[in-house]
Amino acid sequence: QVQLVESGGGLVQAGGSLRLSCVASGENIRFNPMAWYRQAPGKEREVVAISISGGRTNYADSVKGRFTFSRDNAKNTVYLQMNSLKPEDTAVYYCHHSSSDTWGQGTQVTVSS
């Protein structure tokens, strides 16, 4: 059974950058669709980026051109590079293993204006 652990969140000023990491254990995620979601206070969880097999990634319109999904198969890890952060990006960010519908515990990202 796959387990996911996120890290890399924190407090950053608007315009800054963060890189989130999600380390998977228990299963090789190399050929599995993986995704990043986020949930802001009082709002529903929303998808940020979905990486499907073949290297294709789909992004939410709100993050296109600013966020980049990547994988390190040797480390069984996925990343979310977040640049030009805005206060509206403030949320708890979650990693998701699509095949098993497994979620990580989340990592808080706070962007100050």
Side-chain angles (χ1 to χ4, degrees):
Q1 182 176 354
V2 65
Q3 295 179 332
L4 305 173
V5 178
E6 301 101 331
S7 63
L11 173 63
V12 64
Q13 289 187 334
S17 299
L18 285 172
R19 188 177 79 156
L20 306 183
S21 300
C22 172
V23 180
S25 60
E27 183 177 319
N28 189 325
I29 63 170
R30 179 173 185 173
F31 300 110
N32 284 276
M34 297 290 297
W36 285 97
Y37 285 74
R38 67 186 180 185
Q39 187 166 19
K43 295 187 177 181
E44 294 187 354
R45 192 170 296 188
E46 63 176 1
V47 63
V48 175
I50 297 177
S51 175
I52 59 178
S53 61
R56 179 178 176 180
T57 303
N58 295 322
Y59 296 94
D61 288 342
S62 59
V63 307
K64 282 182 181 176
R66 301 189 296 123
F67 291 11
T68 303
F69 184 106
S70 63
R71 295 177 182 249
D72 185 334
N73 293 325
K75 295 182 179 179
N76 216 31
T77 300
V78 298
Y79 302 96
L80 185 67
Q81 177 67 44
M82 306 186 295
N83 298 329
S84 302
L85 283 161
K86 304 175 181 180
E88 51 263 43
D89 295 318
T90 295
V92 178
Y93 284 71
Y94 298 90
C95 181
H96 183 245
H97 182 259
S98 302
S99 300
S100 65
D101 194 25
T102 299
W103 297 89
Q105 84 287 354
T107 185
Q108 175 70 47
V109 171
T110 303
V111 184
S112 62
S113 57

